[in-house]
Amino acid sequence: MKRVSIFGATGSIGQNTIDLIMRAPDDYKVVALSGGANIAQLAKDAIALDAEVAVTAYESRFEDLQSALQGTSVVAAAGASAIAEAAARPVDLVMSAIVGAAGLEPGLVALQQGATLALANKESLVTAGALVLRTAKANQARLLPVDSEHSAVFQALIGEDISAVERIAITASGGAFRDWNLNDMANATPEQAATHPNWDMGQRITIDSASMFNKALEVIETKEFFGVDPNQIEVLVHPESLVHALVGFNDGALMAHIGPADMRHAIGYALHYPDRKTLPVERLDLARIGQLNFRAPDPARYPALRLAWDVMEIGGMAGCIFNAAKEKALDAFIAKRIGFLEMATVVENTLTKLSGDSGLILAEMTLDTVKHTDQLARRIADETIQKREG
Ligand code: NDP
Ligand code: MG
């Protein structure tokens, strides 16, 4: 029986993880679940899975959670530090499915106890790749990708030598505005951006898919996870979202991973690793699908992609700054304070302002220095947003 904790349990990845666990209740013991504002869902799942502890990220919601858990054996807790404490409870595997940089600390704590970290929270590797990898290594803890593209690359690399890899291509659906022109994109609303053509995901990653900030984060995640050079990474627009990634080897072979656009594949792969077990996902009928299309992304419509390569070139804390500014810009777009295309401007301005500070960029990466840089980048991004509002 695997002992498992799920952080971000009430979100899209968290709920898909719980779906798989509930189908095989004898295989898992759920230890800790965390959520945010969705107290009802958190309490319901914690009770159904007989978790030891349920934690909401918000201290102000502690009493709500406590009363929802009354009369059960599930302990209620609240706040970011309570999530980190819950991550220290001994388990075999932690599903890291909080959205945003808030997912970093519980992931680090999980690695410190030697647990396998199933990483949906790509922001961890973008914000603090060196720190995450160092912590995993020091504690002989395993990192497993849950992002579909990275799970695909990971699977294509089984039995292969990374030194034989020439290139890694990750695919992008193109998101909600794949076929929109720049003018229409400039006027796009958060509601329009939050509709994904193929994947059913949380609101924030869906909007990030429309801007390709999600793909930009994933490019950096690819570099960190697989240790390849930035010039070995490619992004391909693939409207069908069935080929998740391709690995090109030095003999010219391309290994593609094909599967349905259902996150339960990558989640299930990580949950069962190193085994493969039957998963409740659609079996593709390629003869019926008939065609798979690929094209290069248009750099003018997706400035986020260029910024990803800038970030990798700057290195150090640039990923932390990039992610923090992106989170702020996304908040401002959702609040209708800035336009869709202005998100990239806010991120680029923040990066430009801070990347000249070599003391900041090259500081030793610890949780404290990362938090400091994250806060600073959020402040600078806020200033840019306020200026743009006039
Ligand atoms: P959701 O928005 O659906 O869920 C996010 C989860 O995090 C919820 O449980 C939410 O709680 C919780 N949460 C939100 N803010 C905080 C915070 N400040 N502190 C602690 N917990 C918080 O996101 P997704 O499931 O879509 O994505 C989760 C992660 O997985 C992201 O990093 C995303 O990039 C990545 N990912 C997602 C994919 C997908 O298919 N959805 C695919 C690949 C990667 P509540 O809802 O209760 O407020
Ligand atoms: Mg992905």
Side-chain angles (χ1 to χ4, degrees):
M1 186 178 268
K2 253 186 200 168
R3 289 171 60 86
V4 176
S5 289
I6 306 168
F7 296 98
T10 51
S12 162
I13 293 287
Q15 289 291 298
N16 276 312
T17 307
I18 288 174
D19 173 80
L20 291 178
I21 287 179
M22 283 187 172
R23 288 165 192 264
D26 296 340
D27 294 350
Y28 301 99
K29 163 70 195 144
V30 172
V31 174
L33 293 183
S34 87
N38 192 347
I39 301 294
Q41 188 69 48
L42 177 62
K44 180 169 168 259
D45 290 333
I47 295 166
L49 293 164
D50 193 23
E52 290 174 11
V53 59
V55 195
T56 163
Y58 308 118
E59 278 166 26
S60 61
R61 302 300 306 274
F62 174 70
E63 275 157 24
D64 295 341
L65 181 60
Q66 201 177 35
S67 66
L69 292 171
Q70 205 161 33
T72 75
S73 60
V74 186
V75 174
S81 55
I83 294 180
E85 275 166 35
R89 291 191 180 226
V91 286
D92 301 300
L93 182 138
V94 164
M95 172 57 70
S96 167
I98 288 173
V99 64
L104 173 64
E105 188 167 0
L108 289 173
V109 174
L111 291 172
Q112 278 157 2
Q113 60 140 308
T116 293
L117 188 64
L119 203 57
N121 180 267
K122 62 195 82 186
E123 295 90 340
S124 291
L125 279 180
V126 173
T127 299
L131 175 61
V132 171
L133 297 176
R134 193 173 79 215
T135 308
K137 198 169 173 197
N139 295 283
Q140 293 174 315
R142 186 186 285 283
L143 268 183
L144 291 173
V146 174
D147 216 344
S148 56
E149 297 76 4
H150 306 76
S151 176
V153 173
F154 187 88
Q155 293 178 53
L157 283 172
I158 292 170
E160 306 286 355
D161 186 344
I162 190 81
S163 65
V165 171
E166 277 181 354
R167 57 187 174 137
I168 294 178
I170 59 173
T171 60
S173 68
F177 306 146
R178 183 171 59 213
D179 302 314
W180 288 35
N181 65 37
L182 261 179
N183 252 345
D184 291 341
M185 282 167 87
N187 297 315
T189 65
E191 293 74 24
Q192 289 169 322
T195 319
H196 199 282
N198 304 329
W199 293 94
D200 179 14
M201 310 185 287
Q203 181 206 36
R204 298 180 72 86
I205 184 176
T206 305
I207 298 175
D208 283 349
S209 296
S211 63
M212 288 240 195
F213 266 111
N214 179 51
K215 212 48 56 180
L217 295 174
E218 290 182 357
V219 165
I220 302 167
E221 185 187 8
T222 301
K223 173 186 169 280
E224 298 294 342
F225 204 103
F226 300 104
V228 291
D229 284 339
N231 63 16
Q232 291 178 284
I233 305 171
E234 294 169 21
V235 173
L236 277 175
V237 175
H238 167 49
E240 291 86 3
S241 293
L242 297 175
V243 176
H244 304 301
L246 305 102
V247 178
F249 293 92
N250 55 9
D251 59 357
L254 270 178
M255 297 284 231
H257 181 285
I258 309 180
D262 184 333
M263 283 309 294
R264 291 178 303 176
H265 170 73
I267 295 168
Y269 183 79
L271 275 180
H272 300 311
Y273 183 84
D275 301 328
R276 280 192 192 271
K277 289 200 178 162
T278 306
L279 292 172
V281 301
E282 183 196 346
R283 273 40 177 181
L284 294 180
D285 180 348
L286 288 177
R288 187 180 56 76
I289 292 162
Q291 291 192 26
L292 298 172
N293 291 281
F294 301 93
R295 60 174 189 253
D298 173 0
R301 292 165 69 242
Y302 299 114
L305 290 179
R306 171 177 51 81
L307 295 176
W309 270 272
D310 289 351
V311 165
M312 292 186 289
E313 195 180 322
I314 300 165
M317 291 287 186
C320 173
I321 296 166
F322 179 70
N323 179 69
K326 192 282 295 176
E327 288 191 27
K328 274 290 176 188
L330 178 58
D331 290 340
F333 172 65
I334 292 172
K336 303 195 174 173
R337 294 173 61 197
I338 59 171
F340 183 75
L341 296 175
E342 284 178 300
M343 286 192 284
T345 314
V346 169
V347 174
E348 184 160 18
N349 282 357
T350 309
L351 203 54
T352 307
K353 274 212 176 106
L354 294 178
S355 59
D357 182 346
S358 59
L360 182 80
I361 295 291
L362 300 175
E364 195 202 341
M365 215 180 254
T366 64
L367 187 56
D368 283 345
T369 59
V370 168
K371 278 184 176 171
H372 166 79
T373 309
D374 176 279
Q375 290 307 318
L376 179 62
R378 281 170 203 263
R379 252 200 334 271
I380 302 289
D382 251 345
E383 285 169 17
T384 312
I385 291 163
Q386 275 162 22
K387 266 191 210 138
R388 296 191 83 79
E389 285 180 318

